[in-house]
Amino acid sequence: MSTSRKAALGFIFVTVLIDFIGFGIIIPVMPKLIATLIHKDISAAAGYGGPMLSVFAIMQFLFAPVIGNLSDQFGRRKVLLISLFGFGVDYLFLAFAPTIGWLFVGRAIAGITGASFTTASAYIADISPPEKRAQNFGMIGAAFGLGFIIGPALGGQLAHLGTRIPFVASAILTFLNWLYGYFILPESLPPENRRRFEWRRANPVGSLKHLRKYPAVSGLIISLILVYLAVHCVQSTWTYYTMQKFGWDERWVGYSLGVIGVVILIIQAWLIRKIIPALGQAKSLYTGLFLYGLGMLLFGLATAGWMMFPFILVYCLGGISGPALQGIISSHVPANEQGELQGGLTSLMSVTTIFGPVIMTSLFSYFSRANAPVYLPGAPFLLGSFLVLLSALLAWRSMQKWETPATQINK
C-alpha cells in the first residue's frame, strides 16, 4: 500500500474514532446534563434520554443516503469535511444548550453530520482493492473499540471539571481533525467514477430499491439488518442485565465495558487482518456469525458474573462477520455507487437503533419483573442469538443462489 493511501486510511480511522469517542463521552455525562436542564433527578432524566437517541437515529436514517449520494457526485473529501465541521458545531450546541429543547436540536444535528460514517466507508471502498476491503472495513470496528475505551473514561474524568466540559473538548478535537483533513486529506473518487446526484436515489427507501438490481445484495443486506438488531441485546441491556442478575455496581459495569472495548480493538485492528485472508470472506462470515450467536447465548444463560468476562471473548470474536459481510456486499456494487451503498447501509443501521433498543429493553423488562410468567432476564440475549442464526441462514442461501466473488475466492 502506498504511503499516501496509508495516510488516507489513517485519517479515516481518526475521523470515525472521533465520532465514537463523542458518542462514548455522552454515556456518563448526558444524564446529569439532562437532569440539570430539566431541574429534576437522574430518574426523570432517563425519560428524555430514550427519545433523544431516537431523534439522533431518525435524522441519521434520513440523511445518511443523502450524504452518500452527494459524495458520489462531488467526491468524498468535500462532503466528509462538511460533515466533520457540522459535527463540531453540534458539540458546541450541546456544550452551551440553555434548555432541554436545544439538546434535542443538537442531537438532530449530530444525526445529520454523524453520517460522516457513510462517506468514510465509501472512502475506504475507493482506496481499497477488492481483496483488502474487508480488512480495511475492520478499521471502523477498531475505531469503535478504541472509542468505546476512551470515550466513557474521558467523559467521566472531564465531568469533574464541569458537566459541559466534555462537549467542549470534543468540539476542539473535531475542529482539529477538520483542519488536518482540509490540508492533508486527498480526494479518493476520481472524476470518471462520479455520477450526478438524484433525489429519487438519495432517500432511505429509494437507495435500497435501487440496490435490488443486484440480487445477491438484497439477501445479504437483510442478513446484515438482523445482525444490527441482534447486537442491541448487548448494547441496550448490558447494564440493566448485569446489575439485575449479578448485582454489579457502576464500577463493574465500567470494567466490563472497558474489556469489551479492548477486545474489539485487538480483533478489529489486528486479528481480523489475519483471519479474513486466511479463511476467505465467506468462511469468515459464517465463523463470525456462529461466534456472535454463541456469545449471546452464553451471556443469556450465564449463572455468575465472572462468566461474562470469558464469554466476552467469544462474542467479540464474532465481530469478524461484519467486515466480511460488508466486503462481500460492496464487491457487487460499481465504484461510482459505493457512496450510495454505504449510505443505505448506514440508514439501515439507524433504523435498528430506533427499534432495537425498544425491543430488547422491553423484553428484558417483561421477563425480569416480579410477576413475569417465567423469570428470564437473559431473554434479549436469546432473541439476539436466534436473529444471528437466522442471519447466517439467509447469508448462506444468498451466497449459494448467486455466486459471489467471495465464494469464488474460497473455491
Side-chain angles (χ1 to χ4, degrees):
M1 183 180 295
S2 67
T3 302
S4 61
R5 186 175 295 178
K6 286 183 178 180
L9 281 173
F11 174 81
I12 294 301
F13 174 82
V14 172
T15 298
V16 178
L17 173 62
I18 289 174
D19 280 2
F20 285 126
I21 288 177
F23 178 79
I25 284 176
I26 292 174
I27 294 176
V29 180
M30 186 63 82
K32 189 174 181 180
L33 177 59
I34 295 174
T36 300
L37 291 176
I38 64 176
H39 306 291
K40 294 182 180 180
D41 58 15
I42 297 296
S43 178
Y48 291 83
M52 206 170 289
L53 178 60
S54 294
V55 167
F56 175 90
I58 289 170
M59 297 308 288
Q60 190 171 66
F61 170 70
L62 294 174
F63 282 90
V66 174
I67 288 180
N69 276 264
L70 286 172
S71 74
D72 280 340
Q73 175 174 347
F74 298 105
R76 317 301 185 201
R77 183 180 181 276
K78 291 179 181 178
V79 174
L80 186 58
L81 290 176
I82 291 172
S83 294
L84 280 175
F85 190 85
F87 210 44
V89 171
D90 161 61
Y91 280 129
L92 292 179
F93 252 88
L94 296 177
F96 299 105
T99 65
I100 189 67
W102 284 104
L103 273 191
F104 277 90
V105 173
R107 288 290 79 196
I109 295 174
I112 297 171
T113 58
S116 60
F117 173 86
T118 301
T119 312
S121 297
Y123 195 108
I124 291 175
D126 290 340
I127 65 176
S128 304
E131 68 275 9
K132 292 290 185 180
R133 280 180 182 168
Q135 297 96 301
N136 289 339
F137 279 135
M139 291 180 59
I140 294 178
F144 169 80
L146 187 57
F148 208 65
I149 297 169
I150 297 174
L154 182 61
Q157 293 299 317
L158 291 177
H160 292 293
L161 303 176
T163 305
R164 299 173 186 264
I165 296 299
F167 300 105
V168 175
S170 294
I172 293 173
L173 194 61
T174 302
F175 286 130
L176 288 175
N177 192 29
W178 177 84
L179 284 172
Y180 173 75
Y182 182 81
F183 290 106
I184 302 298
L185 185 68
E187 177 55 60
S188 65
L189 186 65
E192 62 271 18
N193 286 338
R194 300 184 187 185
R195 63 173 180 83
R196 291 185 61 81
F197 179 86
E198 299 176 49
W199 276 109
R200 64 182 179 84
R201 296 169 66 173
N203 64 79
V205 178
S207 62
L208 296 180
K209 285 183 177 178
H210 172 70
L211 293 177
R212 289 189 302 180
K213 71 180 183 181
Y214 308 107
V217 171
S218 299
L220 294 175
I221 286 177
I222 295 174
S223 178
L224 192 61
I225 292 173
L226 292 174
V227 173
Y228 284 156
L229 279 173
V231 297
H232 278 288
C233 72
V234 177
Q235 296 175 2
S236 302
T237 68
W238 182 267
T239 302
Y240 303 104
Y241 176 71
T242 53
M243 287 183 170
Q244 169 85 6
K245 190 169 185 178
F246 308 121
W248 283 7
D249 58 16
E250 294 83 355
R251 182 184 60 175
W252 277 101
V253 171
Y255 289 157
S256 66
L257 292 177
V259 170
I260 290 175
V262 170
V263 175
I264 289 176
L265 176 63
I266 293 173
I267 291 172
Q268 298 288 346
W270 176 72
L271 191 60
I272 203 167
R273 293 177 176 271
K274 307 292 183 181
I275 293 178
I276 291 181
L279 296 181
Q281 291 185 13
K283 290 181 180 178
S284 296
L285 170 61
Y286 298 139
T287 301
L289 290 176
F290 171 76
L291 292 172
Y292 250 158
L294 178 60
M296 293 174 189
L297 180 64
L298 292 173
F299 284 152
L301 299 179
T303 57
W306 65 266
M307 294 181 176
M308 300 298 279
F309 287 91
F311 294 164
I312 284 173
L313 178 61
V314 177
Y315 169 77
C316 290
L317 280 170
I320 66 174
S321 61
L325 182 53
Q326 197 170 5
I328 294 170
I329 293 173
S330 69
S331 67
H332 285 79
V333 177
N336 64 352
E337 297 179 7
Q338 288 293 330
E340 182 178 50
L341 168 67
Q342 299 304 330
L345 295 182
T346 303
S347 291
L348 287 174
M349 185 168 60
S350 298
V351 171
T352 63
T353 304
I354 296 171
F355 297 105
V358 175
I359 295 171
M360 296 302 180
T361 55
S362 297
L363 196 62
F364 170 80
S365 177
Y366 181 78
F367 283 102
S368 62
R369 64 186 183 182
N371 61 343
V374 178
Y375 181 74
L376 190 64
F381 297 96
L382 303 184
L383 174 60
S385 183
F386 171 76
L387 291 176
V388 170
L389 174 62
L390 187 58
S391 172
L393 292 174
L394 284 173
W396 177 81
R397 181 181 177 185
S398 295
M399 295 174 67
Q400 289 295 312
K401 189 173 182 180
W402 296 285
E403 188 176 65
T404 69
T407 57
Q408 292 172 1
I409 291 172
N410 290 332
K411 285 185 176 179

